[in-house]
mmCIF file of all heavy atoms in Angstrom:
data_model
loop_
_atom_site.group_PDB
_atom_site.id
_atom_site.type_symbol
_atom_site.label_atom_id
_atom_site.label_comp_id
_atom_site.label_asym_id
_atom_site.label_seq_id
_atom_site.Cartn_x
_atom_site.Cartn_y
_atom_site.Cartn_z
ATOM 1 N N ASN A 9 87.940 133.163 52.384
ATOM 2 C CA ASN A 9 86.787 132.959 53.263
ATOM 3 C C ASN A 9 85.553 133.188 52.397
ATOM 4 O O ASN A 9 85.230 134.319 52.068
ATOM 5 C CB ASN A 9 86.840 133.951 54.430
ATOM 6 C CG ASN A 9 85.577 133.910 55.273
ATOM 7 O OD1 ASN A 9 84.748 133.002 55.129
ATOM 8 N ND2 ASN A 9 85.416 134.887 56.150
ATOM 9 N N LYS A 11 82.519 132.798 53.150
ATOM 10 C CA LYS A 11 81.332 133.258 53.887
ATOM 11 C C LYS A 11 80.116 132.445 53.415
ATOM 12 O O LYS A 11 80.265 131.268 53.100
ATOM 13 C CB LYS A 11 81.150 134.776 53.712
ATOM 14 C CG LYS A 11 82.461 135.526 54.003
ATOM 15 C CD LYS A 11 82.302 137.004 54.139
ATOM 16 C CE LYS A 11 83.666 137.633 54.422
ATOM 17 N NZ LYS A 11 83.619 139.042 54.687
ATOM 18 N N HIS A 94 85.579 135.589 63.679
ATOM 19 C CA HIS A 94 85.411 136.549 62.583
ATOM 20 C C HIS A 94 84.492 137.687 63.051
ATOM 21 O O HIS A 94 83.537 137.447 63.794
ATOM 22 C CB HIS A 94 84.823 135.862 61.350
ATOM 23 C CG HIS A 94 84.914 136.715 60.128
ATOM 24 N ND1 HIS A 94 84.024 137.739 59.877
ATOM 25 C CD2 HIS A 94 85.813 136.727 59.110
ATOM 26 C CE1 HIS A 94 84.378 138.342 58.754
ATOM 27 N NE2 HIS A 94 85.449 137.748 58.265
ATOM 28 N N GLU A 166 91.780 141.927 60.743
ATOM 29 C CA GLU A 166 90.743 142.358 59.803
ATOM 30 C C GLU A 166 90.004 143.572 60.365
ATOM 31 O O GLU A 166 89.077 143.423 61.162
ATOM 32 C CB GLU A 166 89.730 141.232 59.576
ATOM 33 C CG GLU A 166 90.315 139.991 58.941
ATOM 34 C CD GLU A 166 89.261 139.223 58.137
ATOM 35 O OE1 GLU A 166 88.130 139.030 58.627
ATOM 36 O OE2 GLU A 166 89.584 138.830 57.006
ATOM 37 N N ALA A 170 87.160 147.780 56.769
ATOM 38 C CA ALA A 170 87.725 147.436 55.459
ATOM 39 C C ALA A 170 87.089 146.182 54.862
ATOM 40 O O ALA A 170 87.382 145.812 53.734
ATOM 41 C CB ALA A 170 89.243 147.232 55.589
ATOM 42 N N ILE A 171 86.207 145.531 55.626
ATOM 43 C CA ILE A 171 85.647 144.259 55.159
ATOM 44 C C ILE A 171 84.471 144.505 54.227
ATOM 45 O O ILE A 171 83.478 145.124 54.616
ATOM 46 C CB ILE A 171 85.204 143.379 56.351
ATOM 47 C CG1 ILE A 171 86.423 143.000 57.188
ATOM 48 C CG2 ILE A 171 84.473 142.136 55.862
ATOM 49 C CD1 ILE A 171 86.101 142.169 58.410
ATOM 50 N N GLY A 172 84.615 144.015 53.001
ATOM 51 C CA GLY A 172 83.512 144.081 52.042
ATOM 52 C C GLY A 172 83.147 145.493 51.619
ATOM 53 O O GLY A 172 82.122 145.705 50.974
ATOM 54 N N GLY A 211 90.498 142.280 54.495
ATOM 55 C CA GLY A 211 89.638 143.460 54.327
ATOM 56 C C GLY A 211 89.865 144.044 52.951
ATOM 57 O O GLY A 211 90.849 144.754 52.735
ATOM 58 N N SER A 212 88.982 143.680 51.998
ATOM 59 C CA SER A 212 89.062 144.195 50.626
ATOM 60 C C SER A 212 90.400 143.898 49.937
ATOM 61 O O SER A 212 90.872 144.694 49.118
ATOM 62 C CB SER A 212 88.746 145.699 50.583
ATOM 63 O OG SER A 212 87.409 145.918 51.010
ATOM 64 N N VAL A 213 91.009 142.753 50.274
ATOM 65 C CA VAL A 213 92.216 142.340 49.539
ATOM 66 C C VAL A 213 91.772 141.976 48.121
ATOM 67 O O VAL A 213 90.750 141.316 47.921
ATOM 68 C CB VAL A 213 92.889 141.114 50.196
ATOM 69 C CG1 VAL A 213 94.050 140.615 49.337
ATOM 70 C CG2 VAL A 213 93.372 141.452 51.605
ATOM 71 N N LEU A 231 93.610 137.072 54.234
ATOM 72 C CA LEU A 231 92.347 136.358 54.447
ATOM 73 C C LEU A 231 91.341 137.128 53.594
ATOM 74 O O LEU A 231 91.043 138.296 53.864
ATOM 75 C CB LEU A 231 91.952 136.347 55.926
ATOM 76 C CG LEU A 231 90.647 135.623 56.273
ATOM 77 C CD1 LEU A 231 90.675 134.164 55.806
ATOM 78 C CD2 LEU A 231 90.400 135.644 57.791
ATOM 79 N N VAL A 232 90.869 136.476 52.542
ATOM 80 C CA VAL A 232 90.192 137.184 51.464
ATOM 81 C C VAL A 232 88.754 136.717 51.311
ATOM 82 O O VAL A 232 88.505 135.508 51.182
ATOM 83 C CB VAL A 232 90.940 136.924 50.130
ATOM 84 C CG1 VAL A 232 90.378 137.823 49.044
ATOM 85 C CG2 VAL A 232 92.434 137.135 50.288
ATOM 86 N N GLY A 233 87.828 137.658 51.300
ATOM 87 C CA GLY A 233 86.426 137.325 51.088
ATOM 88 C C GLY A 233 86.096 137.346 49.603
ATOM 89 O O GLY A 233 86.380 136.399 48.865
ATOM 90 N N GLY A 234 85.513 138.450 49.149
ATOM 91 C CA GLY A 234 85.006 138.578 47.779
ATOM 92 C C GLY A 234 85.950 138.088 46.686
ATOM 93 O O GLY A 234 85.543 137.337 45.796
HETATM 94 P P1 13P B 301 86.439 141.002 51.830
HETATM 95 O O1 13P B 301 87.745 140.517 51.237
HETATM 96 O O2 13P B 301 85.256 140.647 50.978
HETATM 97 O O3 13P B 301 86.515 142.425 52.234
HETATM 98 O O4 13P B 301 86.235 140.154 53.190
HETATM 99 C C1 13P B 301 87.261 140.100 54.114
HETATM 100 C C2 13P B 301 86.954 139.079 55.144
HETATM 101 O O5 13P B 301 86.093 139.289 55.986
HETATM 102 C C3 13P B 301 87.681 137.812 55.111
HETATM 103 O O6 13P B 301 87.448 137.058 56.257
#
Side-chain angles (χ1 to χ4, degrees):
N9 172 12
K11 310 192 180 185
H94 193 280
E166 297 208 315
I171 296 178
S212 297
V213 174
L231 180 57
V232 189

